[in-house]
PDB file of all heavy atoms in Angstrom:
ATOM      1  N   GLN A 452      71.448  22.219  44.560  1.00 91.00           N
ATOM      2  CA  GLN A 452      71.414  22.747  45.944  1.00 91.00           C
ATOM      3  C   GLN A 452      70.203  23.653  46.161  1.00 91.00           C
ATOM      4  O   GLN A 452      69.569  23.598  47.223  1.00 91.00           O
ATOM      5  CB  GLN A 452      72.721  23.499  46.267  1.00 91.00           C
ATOM      6  CG  GLN A 452      73.897  22.612  46.541  1.00 91.00           C
ATOM      7  CD  GLN A 452      75.022  23.343  47.270  1.00 91.00           C
ATOM      8  OE1 GLN A 452      74.965  24.562  47.445  1.00 91.00           O
ATOM      9  NE2 GLN A 452      76.017  22.599  47.702  1.00 91.00           N
ATOM     10  N   VAL A 453      69.899  24.501  45.174  1.00 91.00           N
ATOM     11  CA  VAL A 453      68.756  25.398  45.297  1.00 91.00           C
ATOM     12  C   VAL A 453      67.471  24.586  45.407  1.00 91.00           C
ATOM     13  O   VAL A 453      66.589  24.874  46.218  1.00 91.00           O
ATOM     14  CB  VAL A 453      68.731  26.410  44.133  1.00 91.00           C
ATOM     15  CG1 VAL A 453      67.423  27.174  44.144  1.00 91.00           C
ATOM     16  CG2 VAL A 453      69.906  27.354  44.190  1.00 91.00           C
ATOM     17  N   ILE A 454      67.328  23.590  44.540  1.00 93.00           N
ATOM     18  CA  ILE A 454      66.127  22.759  44.555  1.00 93.00           C
ATOM     19  C   ILE A 454      66.033  21.998  45.901  1.00 93.00           C
ATOM     20  O   ILE A 454      64.958  21.886  46.496  1.00 93.00           O
ATOM     21  CB  ILE A 454      66.110  21.752  43.381  1.00 93.00           C
ATOM     22  CG1 ILE A 454      65.953  22.478  42.095  1.00 93.00           C
ATOM     23  CG2 ILE A 454      64.931  20.760  43.535  1.00 93.00           C
ATOM     24  CD1 ILE A 454      66.094  21.590  40.858  1.00 93.00           C
ATOM     25  N   GLY A 455      67.167  21.485  46.360  1.00 91.00           N
ATOM     26  CA  GLY A 455      67.205  20.774  47.609  1.00 91.00           C
ATOM     27  C   GLY A 455      66.787  21.602  48.791  1.00 91.00           C
ATOM     28  O   GLY A 455      65.953  21.160  49.642  1.00 91.00           O
ATOM     29  N   ILE A 456      67.271  22.846  48.895  1.00 91.00           N
ATOM     30  CA  ILE A 456      66.930  23.720  50.047  1.00 91.00           C
ATOM     31  C   ILE A 456      65.474  24.171  49.893  1.00 91.00           C
ATOM     32  O   ILE A 456      64.780  24.328  50.918  1.00 91.00           O
ATOM     33  CB  ILE A 456      67.882  24.909  50.157  1.00 91.00           C
ATOM     34  CG1 ILE A 456      67.701  25.588  51.524  1.00 91.00           C
ATOM     35  CG2 ILE A 456      67.672  25.906  49.033  1.00 91.00           C
ATOM     36  CD1 ILE A 456      67.967  24.688  52.674  1.00 91.00           C
ATOM     37  N   CYS A 457      64.964  24.379  48.664  1.00 91.00           N
ATOM     38  CA  CYS A 457      63.580  24.740  48.478  1.00 91.00           C
ATOM     39  C   CYS A 457      62.673  23.600  48.918  1.00 91.00           C
ATOM     40  O   CYS A 457      61.605  23.778  49.532  1.00 91.00           O
ATOM     41  CB  CYS A 457      63.308  25.128  47.038  1.00 91.00           C
ATOM     42  SG  CYS A 457      64.020  26.733  46.590  1.00 91.00           S
ATOM     43  N   TYR A 458      63.071  22.373  48.588  1.00 93.00           N
ATOM     44  CA  TYR A 458      62.297  21.186  48.974  1.00 93.00           C
ATOM     45  C   TYR A 458      62.246  21.044  50.513  1.00 93.00           C
ATOM     46  O   TYR A 458      61.188  20.853  51.091  1.00 93.00           O
ATOM     47  CB  TYR A 458      62.938  19.944  48.375  1.00 93.00           C
ATOM     48  CG  TYR A 458      62.087  18.677  48.528  1.00 93.00           C
ATOM     49  CD1 TYR A 458      61.231  18.280  47.503  1.00 93.00           C
ATOM     50  CD2 TYR A 458      62.116  17.909  49.666  1.00 93.00           C
ATOM     51  CE1 TYR A 458      60.472  17.107  47.618  1.00 93.00           C
ATOM     52  CE2 TYR A 458      61.373  16.738  49.806  1.00 93.00           C
ATOM     53  CZ  TYR A 458      60.541  16.341  48.773  1.00 93.00           C
ATOM     54  OH  TYR A 458      59.767  15.220  48.920  1.00 93.00           O
ATOM     55  N   LEU A 459      63.391  21.194  51.146  1.00 92.00           N
ATOM     56  CA  LEU A 459      63.460  21.095  52.607  1.00 92.00           C
ATOM     57  C   LEU A 459      62.706  22.225  53.267  1.00 92.00           C
ATOM     58  O   LEU A 459      61.993  22.008  54.272  1.00 92.00           O
ATOM     59  CB  LEU A 459      64.925  21.136  53.081  1.00 92.00           C
ATOM     60  CG  LEU A 459      65.705  19.836  52.927  1.00 92.00           C
ATOM     61  CD1 LEU A 459      67.201  20.032  53.054  1.00 92.00           C
ATOM     62  CD2 LEU A 459      65.218  18.815  53.978  1.00 92.00           C
ATOM     63  N   SER A 460      62.752  23.440  52.734  1.00 91.00           N
ATOM     64  CA  SER A 460      62.022  24.559  53.284  1.00 91.00           C
ATOM     65  C   SER A 460      60.538  24.313  53.169  1.00 91.00           C
ATOM     66  O   SER A 460      59.762  24.654  54.093  1.00 91.00           O
ATOM     67  CB  SER A 460      62.414  25.856  52.559  1.00 91.00           C
ATOM     68  OG  SER A 460      63.756  26.169  52.745  1.00 91.00           O
ATOM     69  N   THR A 461      60.102  23.751  52.046  1.00 92.00           N
ATOM     70  CA  THR A 461      58.664  23.463  51.868  1.00 92.00           C
ATOM     71  C   THR A 461      58.199  22.422  52.863  1.00 92.00           C
ATOM     72  O   THR A 461      57.056  22.500  53.415  1.00 92.00           O
ATOM     73  CB  THR A 461      58.396  22.976  50.455  1.00 92.00           C
ATOM     74  OG1 THR A 461      58.962  23.939  49.519  1.00 92.00           O
ATOM     75  CG2 THR A 461      56.925  22.858  50.183  1.00 92.00           C
ATOM     76  N   VAL A 462      59.057  21.421  53.152  1.00 93.00           N
ATOM     77  CA  VAL A 462      58.739  20.451  54.190  1.00 93.00           C
ATOM     78  C   VAL A 462      58.568  21.140  55.532  1.00 93.00           C
ATOM     79  O   VAL A 462      57.574  20.916  56.265  1.00 93.00           O
ATOM     80  CB  VAL A 462      59.815  19.359  54.291  1.00 93.00           C
ATOM     81  CG1 VAL A 462      59.572  18.435  55.502  1.00 93.00           C
ATOM     82  CG2 VAL A 462      59.824  18.515  53.035  1.00 93.00           C
ATOM     83  N   HIS A 463      59.492  21.988  55.864  1.00 91.00           N
ATOM     84  CA  HIS A 463      59.459  22.736  57.156  1.00 91.00           C
ATOM     85  C   HIS A 463      58.149  23.501  57.258  1.00 91.00           C
ATOM     86  O   HIS A 463      57.421  23.400  58.243  1.00 91.00           O
ATOM     87  CB  HIS A 463      60.615  23.678  57.212  1.00 91.00           C
ATOM     88  CG  HIS A 463      61.832  23.128  57.876  1.00 91.00           C
ATOM     89  ND1 HIS A 463      61.871  22.759  59.203  1.00 91.00           N
ATOM     90  CD2 HIS A 463      63.064  22.867  57.371  1.00 91.00           C
ATOM     91  CE1 HIS A 463      63.096  22.298  59.513  1.00 91.00           C
ATOM     92  NE2 HIS A 463      63.820  22.342  58.413  1.00 91.00           N
ATOM     93  N   VAL A 464      57.860  24.298  56.260  1.00 92.00           N
ATOM     94  CA  VAL A 464      56.733  25.240  56.280  1.00 92.00           C
ATOM     95  C   VAL A 464      55.415  24.460  56.448  1.00 92.00           C
ATOM     96  O   VAL A 464      54.589  24.811  57.266  1.00 92.00           O
ATOM     97  CB  VAL A 464      56.732  26.098  55.053  1.00 92.00           C
ATOM     98  CG1 VAL A 464      55.388  26.876  54.914  1.00 92.00           C
ATOM     99  CG2 VAL A 464      57.854  27.116  55.065  1.00 92.00           C
ATOM    100  N   ASN A 465      55.253  23.436  55.632  1.00 93.00           N
ATOM    101  CA  ASN A 465      53.975  22.729  55.619  1.00 93.00           C
ATOM    102  C   ASN A 465      53.775  21.814  56.827  1.00 93.00           C
ATOM    103  O   ASN A 465      52.651  21.716  57.334  1.00 93.00           O
ATOM    104  CB  ASN A 465      53.839  21.956  54.316  1.00 93.00           C
ATOM    105  CG  ASN A 465      53.680  22.848  53.114  1.00 93.00           C
ATOM    106  OD1 ASN A 465      52.699  23.493  52.919  1.00 93.00           O
ATOM    107  ND2 ASN A 465      54.736  22.942  52.311  1.00 93.00           N
TER     108      ASN A 465
END
Side-chain angles (χ1 to χ4, degrees):
Q452 284 198 353
V453 171
I454 294 175
I456 194 60
C457 288
Y458 190 95
L459 281 165
S460 297
T461 307
V462 172
H463 270 295
V464 168
N465 291 288

